[in-house]
Amino acid sequence: MFHLDPKQAVLDHVSSRAPRSGGRDLSPEAEAIIAAPVEKTMSATVIVGAAQAVEALLLAATGYAIYWLYVGHTPIFYVPVILGATLLANVLINAARMHKVSSYRLGLLQIGRVLAAWSLVFVMLMVLAYVFKASEMVSRVWLAGWYLVGIVLLVAYRMALRALVMRWTAQGRLKRRTVIIGGGKDAEALIDTIRSGATNDINLLGLFDDRIDERSPDIVSGYHKLGKVADLVEFSRRTPVDLVIVSMPLSAEKRVLEMLRTLWVLPVDIRLSAHMSQLRFTSRAYSYVGELPVFDMADRPISDWNLVFKWVFDKIVALTALVLLSPIMLATAIAIRLESKGPIFFKQKRHGFNNQLVEMYKFRSMYTDMTDATASKLVTKDDPRVTRVGRFIRKTSIDELPQLINVLKGELSIVGPRPHALQAKADNMLYYEAVDGYFARHRVKPGMTGWAQINGWRGETDTIDKIMQRVNHDLYYIENWSLFLDLYIVVMTPVSLFSARKNAY
């Protein structure tokens, strides 16, 4: 996979500045797509993972149930046998490529290959029992029963799975909203390939191409050219885009790199189509969208099962924190109300995932008539706008605790790049103007705390160097995310509140 060093990209100022939402005029065709309703889609990776888990659970449970009914006591020797056979079945079914969404749509071919894999499992079990002279330890009734019931179970399960996937396919819930980079004859050949083998997996929206001559007409195989490559940044912020397929030859390295430096700020998968390549690689070199072979260039950060794990992590931590910290939050609310008139909470719009606006909750730390909803002026040391209670809760970050509600609403994560106010500035420059590639922070959902905060970059960011450091740390987090990293940041956040307080006012 192509790897673009985000820190180096920021430091070298190689990517073009990303405009604010609505800051770039798009073509009428692009505006029409943006205005159209969007169907909710499902992750193929999550579907395949869940299908494998359910299939394995059914096979293992069947093996245990038959043994318990036949023998009548807890299986001990059979436990590793059942687990091993179930694991082997999963490996063989995957080797037959029968755990793919496209395979779930098949009929007799799917059933035949799955049953062949299941039969091979039992052939191998019998061979192992003979080689290790353990045939007397294995019940033939149990073995035959598990095999036959397993056949019935697999047929029924695969037919039910096929019906479900076909239903989702008909509803368009498995299609990925896709755009093509490139135009002309190359894009026409790619569209033909998609039509012949990936129509169930791709919802093609249109094309983006920088060329404006006869090599790149406005309509290719019935699809409109929606704009230039730079327009795709604005387009994808205003309507969901899941996949970008680049229709360029492998030899066009310079053009591909320039395109990636424009699009790396977006939370999308980027693939280079292999349909034009005269080179032939081994099958492992390709990934596939339907039947279309592609080369992986960039992946959406924190996607598929990782997104599920992070969602569960966020909800568990947020609920736990609300319960444990409720006395502190109640005391803070009372103190704010006693010191100054006005609301207890302060709401402020900030850029969230994919540059969308999120209304964040905070405890009010300023006098009501001096609040600054857009943060056009940064809070400084001994700022007269901040109340006495406000100074304390800002220093200790207690003012951020109401954002646990944002986490439960799904607008924030517990850990992620801290969202900045819309008009926040460094050296009188808006953050996105001061740092090229700034919007790459929004490729993931923003968080209450982050890698930058526990490394001393919380609080005031009044200079370009400070905002550069924060952005660098945020991009490091995105590129190196793991659930363990999130856990480490959560554990270290209370420590950082006392060890890195110099910029928090």
Side-chain angles (χ1 to χ4, degrees):
M1 180 182 296
F2 174 87
H3 179 70
L4 179 67
D5 185 349
K7 181 176 180 180
Q8 192 62 43
V10 171
L11 292 175
D12 293 345
H13 291 251
V14 294
S15 63
S16 59
R17 288 188 176 93
R20 287 170 291 179
S21 181
R24 192 180 188 101
D25 294 330
L26 298 176
S27 66
E29 294 80 11
E31 292 288 355
I33 293 173
I34 292 170
V38 178
E39 294 281 347
K40 288 188 175 181
T41 58
M42 306 172 68
S43 166
T45 303
V46 172
I47 292 172
V48 170
Q52 290 188 77
V54 171
E55 187 173 74
L57 182 63
L58 288 174
L59 291 176
T62 301
Y64 289 136
I66 293 173
Y67 183 90
W68 182 79
L69 289 172
Y70 178 68
V71 178
H73 60 75
T74 303
I76 298 175
F77 167 76
Y78 282 67
V79 169
V81 175
I82 293 172
L83 289 178
T86 302
L87 177 60
L88 179 60
N90 181 262
V91 170
L92 292 176
I93 292 172
N94 270 287
R97 296 187 175 182
M98 288 297 104
H99 270 306
K100 300 191 301 180
V101 170
S102 58
S103 299
Y104 297 154
R105 300 190 186 107
L106 301 175
L108 293 177
L109 178 61
Q110 176 188 183
I111 296 298
R113 290 187 178 183
V114 169
L115 294 186
W118 182 240
S119 300
L120 185 57
V121 169
F122 283 82
V123 170
M124 296 178 71
L125 281 178
M126 289 186 288
V127 170
L128 289 173
Y130 175 78
V131 170
F132 291 101
K133 299 181 179 181
S135 56
E136 297 299 323
M137 301 176 64
V138 179
S139 168
R140 294 177 177 83
V141 174
W142 168 78
L143 197 65
W146 190 22
Y147 174 65
L148 295 174
V149 174
I151 288 177
V152 175
L153 186 67
L154 284 171
V155 171
Y157 174 70
R158 286 286 171 155
M159 287 295 95
L161 182 61
R162 180 179 184 273
L164 187 60
V165 169
M166 293 299 288
R167 179 183 176 185
W168 288 337
T169 300
Q171 294 172 342
R173 299 179 67 184
L174 299 181
K175 290 187 176 182
R176 305 178 71 185
R177 289 170 63 86
T178 304
V179 297
I180 292 174
I181 297 291
K185 296 295 183 181
D186 295 337
E188 185 177 349
L190 173 58
I191 292 171
D192 290 342
T193 304
I194 291 173
R195 283 173 172 163
S196 64
T199 53
N200 290 324
D201 301 275
I202 287 179
N203 176 16
L204 187 55
L205 305 178
L207 305 92
F208 290 82
D209 193 4
D210 288 338
R211 296 174 299 179
I212 55 175
D213 52 26
E214 65 278 359
R215 295 176 301 167
S216 181
D218 291 337
I219 298 178
V220 178
S221 294
Y223 290 93
H224 287 276
K225 185 167 67 174
L226 303 177
K228 295 183 177 181
V229 174
D231 295 324
L232 178 54
V233 176
E234 176 68 13
F235 179 80
S236 64
R237 288 197 176 117
R238 296 175 58 192
T239 191
V241 174
D242 303 309
L243 176 65
V244 174
I245 300 179
V246 180
S247 179
M248 294 182 186
L250 291 173
S251 58
E253 180 180 356
K254 183 177 179 181
R255 287 177 60 197
V256 171
L257 287 174
E258 289 175 352
M259 178 273 302
L260 283 173
R261 287 180 175 128
T262 300
L263 301 181
W264 74 292
V265 300
L266 298 177
V268 299
D269 292 333
I270 302 177
R271 302 289 183 259
L272 178 63
S273 173
H275 79 287
M276 295 167 49
S277 177
Q278 299 299 315
L279 299 175
R280 289 294 175 262
F281 301 92
T282 64
S283 59
R284 294 182 181 179
Y286 303 103
S287 61
Y288 290 86
V289 181
E291 300 301 321
L292 174 68
V294 294
F295 297 108
D296 296 347
M297 300 180 70
D299 282 333
R300 181 198 310 252
I302 315 180
S303 60
D304 300 321
W305 280 109
N306 287 334
L307 202 61
V308 175
F309 297 146
K310 189 168 177 63
W311 183 90
V312 173
F313 178 85
D314 285 341
K315 297 301 185 278
I316 291 174
V317 174
L319 285 171
T320 303
L322 273 175
V323 172
L324 296 180
L325 299 175
S326 56
I328 296 176
M329 295 177 70
L330 179 61
T332 301
I334 295 173
I336 292 171
R337 177 54 58 88
L338 291 176
E339 183 182 19
S340 61
K341 296 180 179 180
I344 293 172
F345 295 108
F346 172 66
K347 298 179 182 179
Q348 187 178 61
K349 290 188 180 297
R350 299 191 178 188
H351 284 124
F353 174 69
N354 204 18
N355 207 32
Q356 297 173 349
L357 291 181
V358 174
E359 189 171 63
M360 289 178 51
Y361 304 115
K362 299 179 71 174
F363 281 123
R364 180 173 59 84
S365 59
M366 294 184 179
Y367 294 102
T368 304
D369 58 347
M370 297 182 181
T371 54
D372 183 4
T374 62
S376 57
K377 180 183 177 183
L378 291 177
V379 176
T380 57
K381 188 175 183 180
D382 299 324
D383 196 311
R385 298 174 296 168
V386 180
T387 66
R388 287 177 299 173
V389 171
R391 288 192 182 92
F392 176 76
I393 63 176
R394 292 178 70 94
K395 197 78 172 177
T396 56
S397 291
I398 291 175
D399 64 322
E400 310 284 358
L401 293 182
Q403 288 162 32
L404 291 167
I405 299 172
N406 290 107
V407 175
L408 292 177
K409 290 172 65 177
E411 298 168 336
L412 295 182
S413 286
I414 291 294
V415 180
R418 283 292 298 155
H420 297 145
L422 303 185
Q423 296 299 312
K425 296 179 180 179
D427 285 346
N428 293 319
M429 296 178 66
L430 294 171
Y431 288 165
Y432 75 87
E433 294 176 337
V435 182
D436 284 335
Y438 169 81
F439 283 116
R441 303 170 69 253
H442 302 154
R443 296 169 67 208
V444 300
K445 195 177 294 184
M448 292 183 62
T449 184
W451 184 247
Q453 282 64 46
I454 69 168
N455 282 280
W457 299 103
R458 60 183 285 259
E460 186 182 22
T461 48
D462 55 335
T463 68
I464 292 179
D465 179 66
K466 287 180 181 178
I467 188 61
M468 287 272 287
Q469 288 292 343
R470 182 176 286 190
V471 170
N472 289 341
H473 281 77
D474 290 339
L475 297 182
Y476 174 87
Y477 167 79
I478 293 172
E479 293 295 316
N480 296 276
W481 177 85
S482 71
L483 207 57
F484 293 106
L485 181 59
D486 272 7
L487 184 60
Y488 174 76
I489 292 172
V490 168
V491 171
M492 292 302 297
T493 293
V495 177
S496 69
L497 294 179
F498 298 97
S499 62
R501 301 172 61 177
K502 61 181 180 179
N503 293 323
Y505 305 128

